[in-house]
């Protein structure tokens, strides 16, 4: 190649390269999506996870891939997000898979099971323990691709108008509770209700329900449950580390450029990290404020925890006969859980049990 020709080609190559750098932005299509959230806007931890996804995706695609996030009831009711994604009303939805246990109980494992995994263990199962693949096979039946997109950490046990001292006190209790926990508590006499976030306060205020659980101090204070119920129980044994997920219509997903798919997947992972960090950073102050305002903190009596745990594992044994997906996913989940418990019992529990109870750290003299 002659030097002049080479330079010309090099210059051409350089020019093409100069265009190619922003070529992702220039040659990729402008795409607009909508995310239907199951949550109200005022919950700036949980709702904000979907907003973070939208913002980050726009930033890394030079605003070519734009997503608008709609709160519960703006496009569809909070508990119908899966259907909206499945039938293509929206391209994606930010929701809790366990809202859909009525379709298949195996959806619960996409969020959490009572007496299951904490947030770290759940992420370990999803990302490295076969959980992503296991859940994907279920969601495929609904035309959905998914990514973990937020976690609250272990939740509180909810708000009660009256104290719950014995297992017998649960009998007839009208309790707003999500996922399979309602079925577990039904075995103990609770009348479980599934009500979307925005409607819980009113139901508790009117006395349509006797008790309600949502998430933890930061959200619960915002939703005002302390104004209509005095007793705040812990821990939320049904939600040790619940995942929120981004459900994506599989055809819309397949039609996305690869770079946009990567942007979306990566933004979801970021949101998954940030929601948990945000809850952890916000909860202490909110709990202090609630207690200062008269909220009565109560641990669940051990007898209730024991009875609930027994009922939970009885239910899991039954569900294998009701759902092929449960039968397929649960054994691997359970094995993973048992191995995690074995490990966490050593270093994590050894550390935590000393750290949170030592006299030096509790302020005890
Ligand atoms: Ca909850």
């Amino acid at each position: 190649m002659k030097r002049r020709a080479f330079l010309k080609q090099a210059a051409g190559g350089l020019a093409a390269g100069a265009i190619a750098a922003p070529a992702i932005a220039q040659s990729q299509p402008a795409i607009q999506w909508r995310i239907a959230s199951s949550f109200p806007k005022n919950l700036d931890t949980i709702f904000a996870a979907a907003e973070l996804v939208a913002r980050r995706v726009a930033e890394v695609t030079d605003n070519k891939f734009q997503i608008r996030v709609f709160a519960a009831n703006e496009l569809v009711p909070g508990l119908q997000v899966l259907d909206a994604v499945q039938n293509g009303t929206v391209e994606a939805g930010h929701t809790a898979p366990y809202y859909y246990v009525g379709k298949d109980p195996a959806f619960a494992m996409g969020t959490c099971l009572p007496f299951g995994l904490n947030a770290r263990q759940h992420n370990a199962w999803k990302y490295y323990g076969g959980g992503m693949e296991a859940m994907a096979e279920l969601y495929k039946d609904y035309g959905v691709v998914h990514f973990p997109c937020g976690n609250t950490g272990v939740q509180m046990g909810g708000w009660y108008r009256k104290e719950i001292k014995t297992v017998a006190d649960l009998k007839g209790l009208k309790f707003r509770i999500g996922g399979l926990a309602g079925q577990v508590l039904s075995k103990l006499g609770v009348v479980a209700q599934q009500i979307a976030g925005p409607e819980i306060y009113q139901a508790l205020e009117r006395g349509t329900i006797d008790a309600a659980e949502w998430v933890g101090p930061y959200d619960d204070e915002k939703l005002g449950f302390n104004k209509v119920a005095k007793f705040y129980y812990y821990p939320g044994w049904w939600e040790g580390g619940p995942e929120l997920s981004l459900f994506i219509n599989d055809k819309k997903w397949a039609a996305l450029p690869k770079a946009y798919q990567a942007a979306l997947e990566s933004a979801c992972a970021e949101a998954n990290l940030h929601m948990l960090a945000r809850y952890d950073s916000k909860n202490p102050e909110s709990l202090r404020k609630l207690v200062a305002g008269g909220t009565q903190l109560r641990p669940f009596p051990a007898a209730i925890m024991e009875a609930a745990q027994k009922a939970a594992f009885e239910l899991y044994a039954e569900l294998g006969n009701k759902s092929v997906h449960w039968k397929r996913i649960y054994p691997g989940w359970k094995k993973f859980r048992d191995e995690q418990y074995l490990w966490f019992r050593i270093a994590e529990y050894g550390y935590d049990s000393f750290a949170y109870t030592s006299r030096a750290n509790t302020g005890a003299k």
Side-chain angles (χ1 to χ4, degrees):
M1 190 186 293
K2 287 184 178 163
R3 185 173 160 80
R4 182 182 294 266
F6 172 78
L7 284 174
K8 197 175 168 189
Q9 194 182 31
L14 194 65
I19 294 167
I24 286 187
Q26 293 192 5
S27 66
Q28 297 283 25
I31 291 180
Q32 286 169 356
W33 271 24
R34 300 191 297 178
I35 288 179
S37 170
S38 288
F39 313 105
K41 274 189 179 141
N42 63 335
L43 297 180
D44 64 357
T45 37
I46 199 162
F47 183 80
E51 291 185 309
L52 189 157
V53 168
R55 190 174 71 244
R56 190 64 87 224
V57 159
E59 282 168 359
V60 302
T61 62
D62 205 19
N63 286 317
K64 290 279 184 175
F65 185 10
Q66 294 192 353
I67 303 175
R68 281 185 70 192
V69 184
F70 293 85
N73 297 328
E74 282 189 328
L75 296 176
V76 292
L79 300 180
Q80 289 171 30
V81 166
L82 170 61
D83 307 76
V85 175
Q86 187 180 0
N87 64 32
T89 306
V90 290
E91 288 81 9
H94 188 233
T95 191
Y98 72 7
Y99 286 156
Y100 312 102
V101 291
K103 296 177 190 289
D104 192 314
F107 273 96
M109 286 179 280
T111 305
C112 60
L113 293 186
F115 302 101
L117 306 167
N118 70 19
R120 271 181 54 188
Q121 294 163 345
H122 182 81
N123 280 329
W125 178 62
K126 285 303 294 283
Y127 292 128
Y128 292 100
M132 283 297 296
E133 299 77 8
M135 294 315 299
E137 208 172 319
L138 164 68
Y139 300 157
K140 199 164 68 179
D141 288 356
Y142 299 82
V144 162
V145 167
H146 86 292
F147 294 107
C149 191
N151 198 303
T152 66
V154 62
Q155 297 195 357
M156 290 291 281
W159 298 84
Y160 300 73
R161 290 167 171 278
K162 290 180 190 156
E163 278 187 275
I164 305 294
K165 291 180 174 167
T166 65
V167 177
D169 290 341
L170 295 173
K171 209 163 180 63
L173 185 83
K174 284 176 285 177
F175 186 23
R176 182 276 171 196
I177 182 159
L180 281 189
Q183 295 180 37
V184 171
L185 281 166
S186 297
K187 285 175 174 280
L188 304 177
V190 166
V191 183
Q193 328 243 336
Q194 182 142 271
I195 305 172
E199 285 93 47
I200 302 171
Y201 179 90
Q202 208 171 49
L204 195 56
E205 186 188 31
R206 285 180 180 170
T208 319
I209 51 177
D210 306 308
E213 68 82 43
W214 176 244
V215 173
Y218 183 66
D219 281 350
D220 291 1
E221 185 201 10
K222 242 178 208 192
L223 294 176
F225 300 144
N226 55 313
K227 293 175 205 151
V228 285
K230 185 173 166 190
F231 300 101
Y232 198 19
Y233 276 80
Y234 65 91
W237 45 262
W238 48 86
E239 284 171 294
E243 171 190 323
L244 291 308
S245 311
L246 193 73
F247 279 171
I248 304 163
N249 179 285
D250 58 3
K251 291 186 187 68
K252 306 281 184 185
W253 170 257
L256 277 185
K258 286 273 179 278
Y260 291 11
Q261 288 183 345
L264 192 53
E265 179 176 358
S266 161
C268 287
E270 186 181 358
N272 201 35
L273 170 71
H274 276 266
M275 189 195 292
L276 182 61
R278 200 158 176 189
Y279 271 119
D280 283 341
S281 74
K282 300 273 187 192
N283 278 328
E285 188 191 346
S286 298
L287 184 61
R288 257 199 304 273
K289 275 158 67 180
L290 287 167
V291 171
T295 288
Q296 299 282 310
L297 273 183
R298 294 283 187 277
F300 278 122
I304 288 181
M305 300 278 289
E306 301 281 355
Q309 179 168 253
K310 186 165 171 282
F313 284 93
E314 280 169 14
L315 177 68
Y316 304 158
E318 294 159 19
L319 290 175
N321 302 322
K322 294 183 178 162
S323 156
V324 290
H325 284 295
W326 184 280
K327 196 170 181 175
R328 174 178 61 80
I329 302 170
Y330 179 75
W333 177 93
K334 176 67 164 54
K335 183 166 180 283
F336 193 86
R337 170 198 181 271
D338 293 347
E339 285 168 1
Q340 288 293 300
Y341 275 28
L342 197 66
W343 159 231
F344 271 65
R345 196 179 292 149
I346 307 300
E348 294 288 342
Y349 181 72
Y351 178 77
D352 291 353
S353 64
F354 173 80
Y356 307 147
T357 57
S358 92
R359 294 162 73 89
N361 294 333
T362 55
K365 295 269 187 309

